Amino acid sequence: MIEIIDLSKSYGEKTVLNKLNAKFEEGMIHGILGPNGCGKTTLIKSMLGLVHIQNGDVLLDGVPLKSCREKVSWLPQHPEAPRNTTPQELFDFIEDLRGEKAVFKESLIREFEFAKELAKPLKALSGGNFQKCFLIATLMFDVPLIILDEPTVGLDPVAAARFKKILAERSKTTTILLISHITSEIEQLSDKVHFLLEGQWAFSGHVKDLENQTGFEDFESSIVHVLSQRREAYSEKV
């Protein structure tokens, strides 16, 4: 269980997260979405202790998350490593850093048909294979929390389908936070969705609950409706 309690983060006078609260249950995929600049990446960095927060706590099974980051695998939106490094060297380095063997590494390499890319430098990989490399690096450990920020960028349809299959299997025993601007992807993969807007959740719950609440029969229209309502309310305040 991941619990966010009164999480607040500001940059100067701009409030990005405003006493945000959430519970992300284990064994589920939680889709997090919102318009550009709404604070999705700031939320994740705040959870991991990578930026200073003004207030709040983030707990993993009752323990501050920033003190047990070895239990987290995180794929940032723009992953990076020295471009002369090979995927094999990267995987070995991460295993050494964690002090443990990656139990899912070999199966992921097979699933993504990545064996031929292991000895190539990262700078020689295509965009799709570069993304596969970091997906493998993120998913190869057995951890209670996986955070994925725009994970399917650059993947071809076959690789994207394989990734979704892998994610569905891993979600049976792991809490997964999936950040994406692709509403169809969030709808297809997520057990629950959390829509971030103006530092607060505009909605948090099951897809069907959102559709029932808005009266729309599809997920994308429901999200657009929530967004337009909140913007209208904000304009009236101003």
Side-chain angles (χ1 to χ4, degrees), residues 91-183:
F91 301 156
D92 291 345
F93 171 75
I94 297 173
E95 284 181 313
D96 290 343
L97 189 65
R98 282 182 173 265
E100 61 178 309
K101 287 295 182 181
V103 296
F104 298 111
K105 180 176 66 176
E106 299 304 326
S107 62
L108 287 165
I109 290 171
R110 288 194 300 271
E111 191 72 32
F112 282 120
E113 298 180 344
F114 197 73
K116 293 181 180 179
E117 312 299 324
L118 290 173
K120 297 179 182 179
L122 293 178
K123 64 183 178 182
L125 298 182
S126 67
N129 283 328
F130 185 86
Q131 189 71 1
K132 287 180 189 178
C133 173
F134 283 92
L135 279 172
I136 293 169
T138 304
L139 297 171
M140 64 185 187
F141 292 98
D142 187 10
V143 292
L145 174 61
I146 297 173
I147 302 174
L148 303 165
D149 195 346
E150 305 289 356
T152 59
V153 171
L155 296 183
D156 61 49
V158 173
R162 288 175 177 169
F163 163 72
K164 292 172 184 178
K165 175 186 173 184
I166 293 165
L167 204 63
E169 184 63 29
R170 292 292 297 278
S171 70
K172 295 176 182 178
T173 56
T174 303
T175 301
I176 296 175
L177 304 188
L178 173 64
I179 303 166
S180 177
H181 69 282
I182 305 172
T183 54

Side-chain angles (χ1 to χ4, degrees), residues 10-233:
S10 298
Y11 292 104
E13 296 182 357
K14 180 177 174 57
T15 299
V16 182
L17 304 173
N18 185 15
K19 296 184 179 179
L20 194 68
N21 291 278
K23 289 183 179 180
F24 301 128
E25 300 91 339
E26 62 185 3
M28 300 180 74
I29 299 176
H30 296 266
I32 299 175
L33 73 165
N36 292 336
C38 73
K40 300 185 295 293
T41 299
T42 297
L43 168 62
I44 299 307
K45 289 184 176 180
S46 298
M47 290 175 62
L48 295 173
L50 299 177
V51 297
H52 174 72
I53 59 174
Q54 277 70 39
N55 185 61
D57 292 298
V58 181
L59 307 177
L60 170 59
D61 295 330
V63 178
L65 184 59
K66 63 183 179 182
S67 68
C68 55
R69 283 176 53 193
E70 73 279 359
K71 295 183 178 181
V72 183
S73 284
W74 173 45
L75 176 69
Q77 185 176 2
H78 302 291
E80 277 299 341
R83 291 302 178 111
N84 288 326
T85 303
T86 67
Q88 186 63 66
E89 290 170 339
L90 178 64
F91 301 156
D92 291 345
F93 171 75
I94 297 173
E95 284 181 313
D96 290 343
L97 189 65
R98 282 182 173 265
E100 61 178 309
K101 287 295 182 181
V103 296
F104 298 111
K105 180 176 66 176
E106 299 304 326
S107 62
L108 287 165
I109 290 171
R110 288 194 300 271
E111 191 72 32
F112 282 120
E113 298 180 344
F114 197 73
K116 293 181 180 179
E117 312 299 324
L118 290 173
K120 297 179 182 179
L122 293 178
K123 64 183 178 182
L125 298 182
S126 67
N129 283 328
F130 185 86
Q131 189 71 1
K132 287 180 189 178
C133 173
F134 283 92
L135 279 172
I136 293 169
T138 304
L139 297 171
M140 64 185 187
F141 292 98
D142 187 10
V143 292
L145 174 61
I146 297 173
I147 302 174
L148 303 165
D149 195 346
E150 305 289 356
T152 59
V153 171
L155 296 183
D156 61 49
V158 173
R162 288 175 177 169
F163 163 72
K164 292 172 184 178
K165 175 186 173 184
I166 293 165
L167 204 63
E169 184 63 29
R170 292 292 297 278
S171 70
K172 295 176 182 178
T173 56
T174 303
T175 301
I176 296 175
L177 304 188
L178 173 64
I179 303 166
S180 177
H181 69 282
I182 305 172
T183 54
S184 59
E185 186 171 87
I186 292 287
E187 180 183 16
Q188 179 186 359
L189 292 174
S190 302
D191 298 294
K192 285 188 174 181
V193 295
H194 312 269
F195 188 62
L196 188 63
L197 190 62
E198 297 166 17
Q200 280 285 334
W201 300 121
F203 176 83
S204 182
H206 296 278
V207 172
K208 284 298 179 185
D209 293 336
L210 173 63
E211 293 171 356
N212 292 335
Q213 177 181 308
T214 61
F216 288 89
E217 295 182 356
D218 67 279
F219 180 70
E220 187 170 18
S221 296
S222 297
I223 287 296
V224 171
H225 177 74
V226 170
L227 178 59
S228 62
Q229 275 197 328
R230 289 293 293 266
R231 282 179 171 170
E232 287 175 7

